[in-house]
Amino acid sequence: MIETERLLLRPPEPRDFEPLHAMWSDPEVMRDLGPVKTTAHSRATIARHLGYGPSHGIGFHAVERREDGAVIGFCGLKPGAPDTPIADELEIGWMFARACWGKGYAREAAAAWLDWAWRHRAEPRVVAITAACNLPSQALMARLGMRWLVDFEHPVQPQGHRLRPSVAFAIDRP
C-alpha cells in the first residue's frame, strides 16, 4: 500500500469492483482511453493487474480517498505493451472517476507511484502512453516531469480510429 496526504493506493479488492467498473463503463471517462468495458472486461482488467504483482511486483491499484473511503481511481505501474515503443519498459498509468477530475488526485497518485518506483525498482526510466487526442493526460505527464519521447500508431486500434495516433512520454530516474 502507498499512502499520500489524501489517498491510499492498494491492490484492488472485491469491494472495489463496482466503483472501478462504473469508471470503465462511463463513456466520458473512456472517451480517450478505449472502448467502454463490459462487466466481464472489467473483471478481466482487474485480474490482469493483480497478476502483475506476483510476476513483476507491480500493478495498478485502487485509489481510495482517505477522507471517506471512496474508490475514485485506478493507478499504478505495469510492463509496457508489446508492439509499442515502450514494450517491456516500466509504464505508469491512471484513470479517475469523472467527478474527481481537476482535483489533483491523478497527479498525487502518479507522483507517489514514481517515488515508489525510484525506491523499489532498478529501471532507468518510467514511461507512459496515451492517445494523441488525450491532451489532459499529456498535460499531467508534463506536470510530473515527463518529456515527449515519440509519436506512434497504437497497434490495438484499427487504421483510421481516433485513438490510433498515440504518444509516449518518459521520465528518467532522478
Side-chain angles (χ1 to χ4, degrees):
M1 183 182 325
I2 298 171
E3 296 185 34
T4 71
E5 181 181 335
R6 300 183 296 165
L7 306 171
L8 297 175
L9 308 156
R10 55 172 177 69
E13 301 170 357
R15 67 185 168 104
D16 303 326
F17 177 79
E18 290 304 323
L20 292 174
H21 178 63
M23 287 179 255
W24 287 317
S25 62
D26 181 336
E28 186 64 21
V29 170
M30 298 305 292
R31 181 181 51 136
D32 294 334
L33 299 175
V36 169
K37 293 187 184 324
T38 65
T39 299
H41 286 122
S42 292
R43 290 193 194 289
T45 297
I46 292 170
R48 183 175 69 251
H49 283 280
L50 286 171
Y52 294 137
S55 60
H56 295 88
I58 53 178
F60 279 37
H61 284 188
V63 178
E64 180 180 313
R65 191 169 43 212
R66 292 174 74 151
E67 74 179 47
D68 60 5
V71 172
I72 61 169
F74 201 53
C75 181
L77 301 167
K78 70 177 198 69
D83 300 323
T84 70
I86 64 160
D88 299 320
E89 291 201 59
L90 188 59
E91 178 185 355
I92 190 167
W94 49 83
M95 177 201 68
F96 281 79
R98 193 173 355 146
C100 296
W101 293 357
K103 297 181 180 352
Y105 293 125
R107 184 183 185 292
E108 186 174 333
W113 268 111
L114 288 172
D115 289 344
W116 184 93
W118 306 139
R119 286 192 319 273
H120 299 284
R121 303 289 297 199
E123 286 86 354
R125 69 183 184 180
V126 174
V127 295
I129 62 173
T130 193
C133 62
N134 191 344
L135 299 180
S137 259
Q138 291 180 56
L140 177 53
M141 292 172 192
R143 284 193 306 277
L144 290 167
M146 301 183 93
R147 69 188 187 298
W148 173 86
L149 190 61
V150 67
D151 294 330
F152 69 101
E153 298 288 308
H154 203 297
V156 301
Q157 300 296 345
Q159 284 289 356
H161 193 282
R162 66 181 285 279
L163 299 181
R164 188 171 171 90
S166 297
V167 295
F169 279 63
I171 185 169
D172 293 326
R173 177 176 289 283

